[in-house]
Amino acid sequence: MESGNVTTPFGRRPMTLGMLASQAAAREIEPGQSIDKWKLYRALCEAKPLLGITDRALAILNALLSFYPKGEISEENGLVVFPSNAQLSLRAHGMAEQTIRRHLATLIEAGLLIRKDSPNGKRYARKEQGGEIREAFGFSLAPLLVRAEEIERLAAQVVAERLHLQRLRERLTLCRRDIAKLIEMALEEGATGDWSRVHLHFRSVVERLPRSPSAEQVADALDELDLLREEITNQLEMQVKVQNQSGNAQHDERHIQNSNPQSITELEPASEMKQAATADDRSADRAEPTVRIQKDEEKNGRVPAASSASAAKGALKSFPLGLVLQACPEIAAYGPQGSVGTWRELMAAAVVVRSMLGVSPSAYEQACEIMGPENAATVMACVLERAGHINSAGGYLRDLTRRAEKGEFAIGPMLMALARSNSPIRGKTG
């Protein structure tokens, strides 16, 4: 490019103030200034969002730089490259010439190239007799050399923002995991509290995040979830302290009660096995008389089914209806009016689903007897959600009932897994 001269575009392309400013800036190249062209190109790729250029425009710029004969861009090596559109297309993986012209215009508008047109609009170079280029017409790379420091600064800014966002997303993922597991643990352990409301608040915060959130959006969500996690942790820690204090008091009360020989005389069955028990066995019987009676009945084969069912029913925790409907939304369509708003409506919908899935009445009645009507309806709603993965719904329900009777089945993990899988933002921030 000739220093001190202004070049205007060929043909009907208009001259703009932006072009004039780019040409004025290109005349401010410091003597001896140079930059590695591929290092500069990598910085351009990083700073792409702040420069307002696309990946296709960068592909054209990459092709132009490949025509520059030296590894470093400098005024001594010349600043103009002059490949034809056909040559650019070959090095841009066959990009159409019309597309090439559009992206060249984008690079010029972004102030990264200057068009230096010949009298007839063609790109070529005039050489001296010794083969040296005297004058070239094409695209000047002078703006890249002038803006090299600015481009590197923008690239560093983009990298820093990306790392900041990555750290925020990692912290958000850990916070989400902590809250989800704390709520699940609270439900499993039967901790007091409105855990359905807490879970809905947690999901509402997470679901507000878009698919590609900004750093500010992630930071706001993280602040809110940090407070929620702290509240949950404080509430659970207070309950643990209360339970520890209550447990110590109960331990003392049982110790005092065991010193009274009359405490179990009315509860123990008169049997020869009891009379032959050792002193250690008798002290254990005094500590837990009800357990002693149950063990004696099991040894004699006289454990009634009703007591076994009631024990299993007591072992299973019930869950809020709102959490059940959030984890199992399909059950609502089988309610009396096409919706479920109460436990009675959920149990009615479960009967319809039982018939639809081919579960025998006896299997469902046994589940209600062992688990309780509410828990059996909840399990039926879970079975409906996973119907596509279950070969025999009746056999599956009988197996869960047997496990519940033995104390080996809990509804909480199944509900929480379905609640996570049915979340509309599954697979987002985290």
Side-chain angles (χ1 to χ4, degrees):
M1 177 177 177
E2 296 179 4
S3 179
N5 292 337
V6 173
T7 62
T8 57
F10 172 78
R12 292 184 293 178
R13 286 193 296 266
M15 183 67 180
T16 64
L17 288 175
M19 294 180 184
L20 187 63
S22 297
Q23 294 183 29
R27 291 194 292 270
E28 299 176 1
I29 299 175
E30 297 179 2
Q33 183 179 357
S34 64
I35 184 70
D36 183 276
K37 63 179 181 181
W38 298 123
K39 179 182 177 182
L40 180 62
Y41 179 74
R42 286 191 294 271
L44 281 166
C45 292
E46 292 287 359
K48 174 182 65 174
L50 300 181
L51 292 172
I53 53 177
T54 64
D55 51 352
R56 303 294 295 277
L58 284 173
I60 296 299
L61 184 57
N62 179 78
L64 282 174
L65 290 175
S66 68
F67 285 100
Y68 192 78
K70 302 294 183 178
E72 290 196 350
I73 302 174
S74 65
E75 201 167 17
E76 289 75 12
N77 297 329
L79 295 173
V80 178
V81 290
F82 42 89
S84 64
N85 285 344
Q87 291 174 318
L88 279 176
S89 177
L90 290 175
R91 297 200 186 182
H93 308 289
M95 191 180 296
E97 291 191 15
Q98 183 178 1
T99 306
I100 289 174
R101 286 192 292 270
R102 185 170 68 251
H103 291 304
L104 284 171
T106 300
L107 292 170
I108 293 170
E109 291 174 3
L112 299 176
L113 292 178
I114 292 177
R115 190 189 298 272
K116 185 181 179 182
D117 286 341
S118 64
N120 60 0
K122 301 295 183 181
R123 301 171 200 153
Y124 58 89
R126 290 198 180 98
K127 297 183 179 181
E128 301 286 354
Q129 291 182 353
E132 297 180 357
I133 296 178
R134 180 169 60 87
E135 187 176 18
F137 299 98
F139 297 101
S140 173
L141 304 179
L144 294 179
L145 189 58
V146 173
R147 300 181 62 184
E149 292 185 2
E150 175 195 355
I151 292 170
E152 291 178 346
R153 185 176 66 254
L154 293 176
Q157 178 182 341
V158 171
V159 171
E161 291 176 354
R162 184 171 65 244
L163 291 176
H164 177 59
L165 177 59
Q166 180 180 350
R167 295 189 185 100
L168 286 175
R169 291 170 70 96
E170 289 173 352
R171 290 177 55 196
L172 181 65
T173 299
L174 292 174
C175 190
R176 288 180 57 187
R177 185 180 68 190
D178 293 344
I179 293 174
K181 288 187 177 292
L182 286 173
I183 294 176
E184 184 176 353
M185 181 269 291
L187 291 172
E188 281 298 303
E189 299 293 334
T192 58
D194 191 355
W195 299 112
S196 177
R197 180 191 62 79
V198 173
H199 184 262
L200 290 175
H201 180 205
F202 167 56
R203 298 310 309 173
S204 67
V205 174
V206 176
E207 290 168 5
R208 285 202 302 266
L209 287 172
R211 182 172 295 275
S212 298
S214 64
E216 291 77 11
Q217 291 171 323
V218 175
D220 291 342
L222 180 60
D223 290 341
E224 194 167 353
L225 290 182
D226 272 336
L227 291 175
L228 181 61
R229 178 174 58 182
E230 185 176 356
E231 292 176 3
I232 295 173
T233 303
N234 292 338
Q235 184 174 353
L236 293 175
E237 287 178 350
M238 289 177 61
Q239 294 189 37
V240 169
K241 292 179 181 178
V242 171
Q243 288 177 1
N244 289 339
Q245 295 173 358
S246 176
N248 292 334
Q250 290 176 5
H251 177 73
D252 295 339
E253 291 171 0
R254 285 198 298 269
H255 179 72
I256 295 171
Q257 182 182 4
N258 290 343
S259 65
N260 182 7
Q262 302 298 325
S263 61
I264 60 170
T265 53
E266 297 179 357
L267 294 175
E268 289 182 335
S271 66
E272 297 178 358
M273 295 180 62
K274 182 193 71 173
Q275 295 174 0
T278 62
D280 292 337
D281 292 337
R282 285 197 297 272
S283 63
D285 291 339
R286 294 188 188 101
E288 297 293 344
T290 306
V291 176
R292 171 74 173 89
I293 294 172
Q294 185 176 356
K295 288 182 177 179
D296 285 346
E297 290 178 344
E298 289 176 355
K299 290 179 181 178
N300 296 330
R302 294 185 287 105
V303 179
S307 64
S308 176
S310 62
K313 190 185 304 182
L316 279 180
K317 303 290 190 302
S318 59
F319 297 88
L321 180 61
L323 178 60
V324 174
L325 294 177
Q326 182 182 358
C328 310
E330 293 186 14
I331 192 72
Y334 299 91
Q337 303 296 330
S339 63
V340 171
T342 63
W343 279 108
R344 184 180 298 274
E345 292 177 351
L346 179 66
M347 289 186 281
V351 173
V352 177
V353 171
R354 173 202 65 75
S355 176
M356 182 189 72
L357 295 180
V359 177
S360 63
S362 62
Y364 187 65
E365 289 174 5
Q366 185 181 14
C368 291
E369 183 178 342
I370 299 298
M371 304 180 188
E374 292 85 356
N375 287 332
T378 300
V379 171
M380 207 68 239
C382 294
V383 172
L384 175 63
E385 289 292 324
R386 302 187 68 248
H389 305 281
I390 299 174
N391 294 329
S392 172
Y396 184 65
L397 180 62
R398 287 188 184 276
D399 179 65
L400 294 182
T401 303
R402 283 193 296 269
R403 290 168 55 193
E405 189 174 11
K406 296 177 182 178
E408 299 174 352
F409 170 64
I411 302 176
M414 179 186 295
L415 271 181
M416 297 305 295
L418 288 173
R420 286 192 294 268
S421 64
N422 288 330
S423 172
I425 62 155
R426 184 184 180 190
K428 283 190 180 181
T429 313

